[in-house]
Amino acid sequence: MRIELDRNVCQGHGVCQMTAANLFTLSDDDGLAIQPPNPIDPQFQDEGRLATASCPERALSVIED
């Protein structure tokens, strides 16, 4: 599984980081999410799916490999 981040859509709400702190950080420069490492470690996949579903801007997409 991979998670793709569209930084052109991200508004920096930080919901992904709050939901999946093991996967997401926010940039110190602009406050937007930083692309998580892919593929997502199996132990964090549920967290990643929840963060993706919780994004208010729909800037995240789960890609099942």
Side-chain angles (χ1 to χ4, degrees):
M1 176 187 130
R2 295 180 292 122
I3 295 177
E4 295 298 323
L5 165 66
D6 185 343
R7 291 191 95 234
N8 293 318
V9 176
C10 180
Q11 295 292 308
H13 297 290
V15 175
C16 58
Q17 197 269 334
M18 289 185 280
T19 307
N22 291 308
L23 298 175
F24 293 95
T25 56
L26 303 179
S27 170
D28 290 335
D29 295 330
D30 58 13
L32 301 180
I34 296 172
Q35 174 68 48
N38 282 311
I40 302 298
D41 188 303
Q43 69 179 335
F44 301 125
Q45 288 183 358
D46 288 341
E47 231 177 278
R49 286 185 185 95
L50 181 58
T52 299
S54 300
C55 178
E57 302 300 329
R58 301 294 180 236
L60 301 170
S61 300
V62 171
I63 298 153
E64 300 289 347
D65 293 328

